[in-house]
């Protein structure tokens, strides 16, 4: 199951927990699986403010077309996810975290609008390694511990094993979240949901 599909299955729960006007941030815009459009559409239905963030300008440009077609007020930001979160000064109620790739994903098929995954990291002089992936998500987790609103939801994609031996993109981030105010709501192969206490 893709992380955003698990998130979408929680729409009715989120609807009653998170009020209209809340901020929903997607870290890692769509690269062919439909997450940005589907999450933007859900945000529009629920009356949330939606922001999608990606480090690659070509992805951000495409994501902007997607979100604006759903709601003119939705925003696409070209930035590193951890930089965006660090500098963002609004309350955050929902986060979908699916950014920096793992090494084993580096040659996956991509759509025409997405350059090669290798190339996107080369442009930033960053090596695509599991350690760098874990660090990026851990950096996001540290910020979200401080900035996410109590009662907010964090949806984590590409989680390849559950408690106690977390793997995938959240290998170091998830244990930190669980030790710092988040509780696991549900784990499915490839995706997990956490709630800020």
């Amino acid at each position: 199951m893709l992380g955003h599909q698990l998130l979408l299955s929680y729409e009715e729960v989120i609807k009653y927990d998170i009020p209209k006007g809340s901020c929903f941030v997607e870290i890692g815009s769509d690269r062919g699986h439909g997450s940005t459009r589907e999450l933007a559409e859900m945000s529009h239905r629920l009356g949330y403010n939606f922001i999608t963030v990606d480090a690659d300008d070509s992805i951000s440009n495409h994501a902007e077309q997607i979100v604006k077609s759903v709601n003119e007020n939705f925003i696409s930001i070209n930035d590193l996810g951890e930089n965006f979160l660090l500098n963002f000064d609004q309350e955050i109620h929902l986060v979908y975290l699916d950014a920096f790739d793992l090494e084993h994903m580096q040659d996956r098929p991509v759509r025409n609008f997405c350059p090669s995954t290798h190339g996107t990291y080369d442009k930033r002089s960053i090596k695509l390694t599991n350690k760098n992936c874990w660090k990026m998500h851990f950096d996001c987790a540290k910020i979200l511990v401080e900035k996410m609103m109590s009662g907010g939801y964090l949806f984590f994609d590409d989680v390849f094993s559950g408690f106690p031996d977390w793997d995938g993109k959240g290998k170091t981030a998830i244990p930190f979240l669980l030790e710092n105010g988040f509780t696991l709501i549900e784990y499915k192969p490839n995706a997990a949901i956490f709630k800020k206490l």
Side-chain angles (χ1 to χ4, degrees), residues 34-120:
S35 66
T36 297
R37 179 173 298 281
E38 293 185 51
L39 298 181
E41 290 172 345
M42 186 190 83
S43 295
H44 183 70
R45 287 192 298 271
L46 299 181
Y48 299 155
N49 299 315
F50 184 72
I51 302 169
T52 186
V53 182
D54 202 276
D56 296 309
D57 55 2
S58 61
I59 300 299
S60 293
N61 290 339
H62 184 73
E64 183 171 21
Q65 296 173 27
I66 293 172
V67 299
K68 294 295 185 186
S69 73
V70 175
N71 186 316
E72 265 300 317
N73 295 315
F74 290 171
I75 301 169
S76 174
I77 301 289
N78 179 224
D79 199 358
L80 296 172
E82 60 271 38
N83 288 351
F84 170 81
L85 291 174
L86 185 63
N87 295 307
F88 192 58
D89 61 0
Q90 298 177 36
E91 295 177 344
I92 302 173
H93 300 79
L94 288 166
V95 174
Y96 176 58
L97 193 53
D98 181 25
F100 203 118
D101 288 318
L102 291 157
E103 288 177 82
H104 79 279
M105 298 175 71
Q106 62 194 5
D107 292 315
R108 67 185 180 185
V110 292
R111 305 287 187 182
N112 291 335
F113 60 80
C114 179
S116 77
T117 308
H118 284 294
T120 63

Side-chain angles (χ1 to χ4, degrees), residues 121-138:
Y121 290 94
D122 290 343
K123 284 192 301 185
R124 303 196 303 271
S125 299
I126 298 173
K127 288 190 177 295
L128 196 163
T129 68
N130 287 346
K131 286 185 178 179
N132 283 341
C133 172
W134 298 331
K135 180 183 184 306
M136 180 271 165
H137 288 91
F138 183 77

Side-chain angles (χ1 to χ4, degrees), residues 103 109 142 146 149 181:
E103 288 177 82
K142 287 192 295 184
E146 299 297 325
M149 297 301 297

